[in-house]
Amino acid sequence: MTHNNNNIMSFARLLWMLVGVWNIFSLFFAQAANDDGNNDDNIQYWGDYTILPKRCIVYNNVDVIVWSMFSGTYHQCSNDPMGTYITPVPYFTAAYLEQLESNKQDQGYDDYVAPDAATYIDCTYMQIEGKEYYVQLGCTDGTSQSISVNIYTDNTCETKSTVNGYDDANIDVSEIKLPFKQCKTCVNWVDVNDDEVDDQFYENHQMQAPLCSTVWSYKESCDRTCQKTGLEPKTKEGWSTPDKILLAILTLFGTHANTHA
């Protein structure tokens, strides 16, 4: 009996040691992930990520951009996404314009000027036909692939209004073209002379991703209902299932009639 008890105690000690070793390894790998700067919640280095803006929708009474994030630039957004998310139109647009400015600076240009329509990223007071309103960038009526300036009654741009039956103001925003359905790398790489940059250039440049880093900070998960919102109806070519059933019935009756003719 004593021998059995000793065996049980030895097994318990061994099991306890294995649990301890497992905890040490778990802490080590968790720390390694944090040191790399890339985990699901806090991405520091964006060199291996791409983003796919999908469409502009109104979800829970807020105009938002639906987008997906992907890991692995070589896939060109063809692999399974890390997730699909939404970000309010003004935040997304501001981040995109900041990305354009950063891209110009990478190319050696410091004279980037934001489009005039960027004024409407903020909720802005405006008189329309003699009445007081507020306007801000949001989704365009009738399409999910562009943005417009929406009309509101309040200075927080939360309550939409209409003028002549439309809640889109007659303001040109064509200079702002969000890259819907276009896969974009989070980091803009340009050719540089290695002799003219320091050893930290490539590491630091991976942290320069205004679009991806900003929308990642302001993201909300887009659930199934959200992802279905604003989808264009799919049109199928050829015979539909009801058509095929009707054709089969007509063929059957036609064959039957010919047999008894």
Side-chain angles (χ1 to χ4, degrees):
M1 186 72 175
T2 302
H3 179 70
N4 290 337
N5 288 337
N6 289 337
N7 287 339
I8 293 174
M9 291 296 294
S10 298
F11 179 76
R13 291 192 190 98
L14 178 61
L15 182 61
W16 182 256
M17 290 176 60
L18 290 174
V19 171
V21 171
W22 173 257
N23 288 335
I24 291 173
F25 273 102
S26 297
L27 289 173
F28 172 78
F29 286 115
Q31 183 63 42
N34 289 331
D35 291 342
D36 183 50
N38 288 346
N39 55 55
D40 287 345
D41 295 324
N42 179 27
I43 300 175
Q44 183 178 3
Y45 300 107
W46 292 94
D48 194 42
Y49 293 88
T50 54
I51 185 172
L52 178 65
K54 293 187 169 183
R55 55 190 172 276
C56 190
I57 65 171
V58 180
Y59 190 67
N60 291 334
N61 297 319
V62 179
D63 289 46
V64 296
I65 302 296
V66 180
W67 53 276
S68 294
M69 185 71 74
F70 298 81
S71 177
T73 55
Y74 54 89
H75 290 297
Q76 290 295 302
C77 300
S78 62
N79 55 324
D80 291 333
M82 298 167 57
T84 298
Y85 310 97
I86 54 175
T87 298
V89 172
Y91 293 161
F92 193 100
T93 305
Y96 178 64
L97 295 180
E98 187 178 351
Q99 182 69 59
L100 293 182
E101 181 178 10
S102 178
N103 294 352
K104 287 291 186 181
Q105 291 174 351
D106 290 339
Q107 298 168 7
Y109 300 103
D110 295 324
D111 56 352
Y112 174 81
V113 178
D116 292 339
T119 301
Y120 305 107
I121 288 175
D122 298 320
C123 189
T124 304
Y125 171 81
M126 177 176 287
Q127 284 197 357
I128 303 175
E129 297 183 359
K131 295 183 179 180
E132 296 183 343
Y133 295 96
Y134 291 86
V135 294
Q136 190 174 34
L137 289 176
C139 299
T140 303
D141 290 339
T143 178
S144 64
Q145 299 299 299
S146 70
I147 58 174
S148 295
V149 177
N150 291 168
I151 305 171
Y152 299 86
T153 59
D154 58 309
N155 61 5
T156 58
C157 289
E158 294 180 354
T159 306
K160 286 191 176 182
S161 184
T162 59
V163 175
N164 297 325
Y166 297 95
D167 63 6
D168 289 348
N170 187 23
I171 298 175
D172 182 19
V173 295
S174 58
E175 290 182 290
I176 302 178
K177 293 182 173 61
L178 298 185
F180 292 112
K181 297 183 178 180
Q182 298 178 37
C183 184
K184 295 291 184 180
T185 57
C186 289
V187 175
N188 179 55
W189 293 104
V190 295
D191 291 333
V192 295
N193 188 337
D194 290 341
D195 295 332
E196 297 178 356
V197 296
D198 57 34
D199 295 338
Q200 301 298 315
F201 171 79
Y202 293 102
E203 179 179 354
N204 292 336
H205 195 65
Q206 291 189 70
M207 294 186 284
Q208 298 175 11
L211 174 58
C212 291
S213 61
T214 300
V215 299
W216 187 258
S217 298
Y218 289 100
K219 72 181 185 303
E220 291 184 22
S221 293
C222 186
D223 58 22
R224 289 185 177 181
T225 302
C226 167
Q227 293 187 40
K228 291 179 181 178
T229 303
L231 281 177
E232 298 176 0
K234 295 182 179 179
T235 57
K236 296 182 178 180
E237 297 181 358
W239 295 88
S240 64
T241 300
D243 290 337
K244 292 178 181 178
I245 294 174
L246 179 59
L247 180 61
I249 293 174
L250 292 176
T251 301
L252 179 63
F253 274 101
T255 302
H256 180 76
N258 290 334
T259 303
H260 292 82

PDB file of all heavy atoms in Angstrom, residues 82 89 129:
ATOM      1  N   MET A  82      -8.509  38.722 -41.428  1.00  0.00           N
ATOM      2  CA  MET A  82      -8.422  38.677 -39.970  1.00  0.00           C
ATOM      3  C   MET A  82      -9.778  39.013 -39.367  1.00  0.00           C
ATOM      4  O   MET A  82     -10.115  38.558 -38.274  1.00  0.00           O
ATOM      5  CB  MET A  82      -7.371  39.678 -39.496  1.00  0.00           C
ATOM      6  CG  MET A  82      -5.970  39.394 -39.986  1.00  0.00           C
ATOM      7  SD  MET A  82      -4.871  40.801 -39.698  1.00  0.00           S
ATOM      8  CE  MET A  82      -5.034  41.012 -37.915  1.00  0.00           C
ATOM      9  N   VAL A  89     -17.467  57.122 -41.419  1.00  0.00           N
ATOM     10  CA  VAL A  89     -16.944  57.707 -42.652  1.00  0.00           C
ATOM     11  C   VAL A  89     -15.946  58.831 -42.400  1.00  0.00           C
ATOM     12  O   VAL A  89     -14.871  58.861 -43.019  1.00  0.00           O
ATOM     13  CB  VAL A  89     -18.103  58.200 -43.551  1.00  0.00           C
ATOM     14  CG1 VAL A  89     -17.560  58.988 -44.740  1.00  0.00           C
ATOM     15  CG2 VAL A  89     -18.940  57.021 -44.026  1.00  0.00           C
ATOM     16  N   GLU A 129     -30.455  77.307 -48.927  1.00  0.00           N
ATOM     17  CA  GLU A 129     -31.727  77.940 -49.306  1.00  0.00           C
ATOM     18  C   GLU A 129     -32.285  78.768 -48.158  1.00  0.00           C
ATOM     19  O   GLU A 129     -33.495  78.736 -47.859  1.00  0.00           O
ATOM     20  CB  GLU A 129     -32.732  76.881 -49.769  1.00  0.00           C
ATOM     21  CG  GLU A 129     -32.291  76.136 -51.022  1.00  0.00           C
ATOM     22  CD  GLU A 129     -33.334  75.147 -51.517  1.00  0.00           C
ATOM     23  OE1 GLU A 129     -34.395  75.025 -50.866  1.00  0.00           O
ATOM     24  OE2 GLU A 129     -33.096  74.513 -52.558  1.00  0.00           O
TER      25      GLU A 129
END
